[in-house]
């Protein structure tokens, strides 16, 4: 574990915040948790509200026909979708038939700065998947492999009630470590870690002072 000071960009974004403890934890080569990097989320939450007013949270169906316990929305040029025909990215929201809401500048700046902090310069996400977990919701082990260029990292921002993140290996049966993600934590992974299996354990009952009984995760990708 190494501790880092806030870099210039982060100080500009969050200089008025009394951020919690900020420290960087390496999970393996290519993956790190930037604990507290998103501060108290006060720049992000109004933007999450704006996006999900235009593109409401919905529980998608997996290709095998199960309704996901996590509710999802998207912003940016591309949105992640699951339905009976499979997983894919699409440029329109099937609920509205319109383009996904544009990615708020505060989202793109945070994702790019976090990626650089973790050693991935020049990350410019074109997709942000917004996941909403209520107690009991979970995400089973999966790889993120629907993107074109695996040299680009993924940046994941956690807000609200805590969740245990499962972080495995390159094979589904490899043992997984458990990482507690709390409000403001950012996970960055890429390089040799890009295709590791991962998931989220069923979220336990908690109440967050700002978010209530809810966890929001923003996952940033470069799809095209
Ligand atoms: C979540 N995250 O934390 C789900 N994928 O709610 C992911 O599936 C994920 O956090 C790739 C990279 C980072 C992630
Ligand atoms: Fe994932």
């Amino acid at each position: 574990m190494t501790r880092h000071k806030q870099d210039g960009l982060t100080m500009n974004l969050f200089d008025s915040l009394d951020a919690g403890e900020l420290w960087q934890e390496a999970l393996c080569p290519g993956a790190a948790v930037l604990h507290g990097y998103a501060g108290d989320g006060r720049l992000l939450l109004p933007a999450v509200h704006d996006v999900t007013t235009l593109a409401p949270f919905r529980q998608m169906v997996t290709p095998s026909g199960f309704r996901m316990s996590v509710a999802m929305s998207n912003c940016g040029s591309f949105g992640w979708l699951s339905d009976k025909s499979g997983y894919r990215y699409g440029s329109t929201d099937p609920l509205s038939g319109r383009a996904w809401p544009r990615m708020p500048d505060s989202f793109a700046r945070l994702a790019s700065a976090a990626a650089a902090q973790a050693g991935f310069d020049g990350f410019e996400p074109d997709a942000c998947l917004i996941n909403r977990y209520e107690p009991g919701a979970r995400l089973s082990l999966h790889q993120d492999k629907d993107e074109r260029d695996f040299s680009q990292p993924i940046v994941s921002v956690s807000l609200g009630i805590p969740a245990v993140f499962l972080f495995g290996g390159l094979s589904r049966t490899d043992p997984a470590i458990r990482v507690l993600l709390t409000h403001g934590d950012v996970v960055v992974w890429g390089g040799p870690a890009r295709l590791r299996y991962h998931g989220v354990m069923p979220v336990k009952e908690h109440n967050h002072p700002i978010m209530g009984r809810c966890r929001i995760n923003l996952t940033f990708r470069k799809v095209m």
Side-chain angles (χ1 to χ4, degrees), residues 131 133 139 142 144 154 156 165 189 198 200 215 217 219:
N131 291 154
Y133 298 72
L139 197 62
H142 66 277
D144 285 22
I154 296 178
S156 157
F165 193 59
W189 74 41
H198 58 280
V200 178
R215 171 177 186 255
N217 176 263
T219 307

Side-chain angles (χ1 to χ4, degrees), residues 46-60 71-76 78-81 90-104 107 128-132 216 218:
V48 170
H49 179 265
D50 291 346
V51 167
T52 56
T53 300
L54 293 168
F57 286 111
R58 79 289 308 262
Q59 285 171 276
M60 297 183 194
M72 299 181 172
S73 181
N74 289 284
C75 62
F78 302 99
W80 186 85
L81 294 167
S91 54
T92 56
D93 177 353
L95 286 186
S96 67
R98 294 191 309 254
W100 294 105
R102 68 180 298 275
M103 190 184 301
F107 282 25
C128 173
L129 172 65
I130 307 175
N131 291 154
R132 185 187 67 195
I216 299 271
L218 310 175

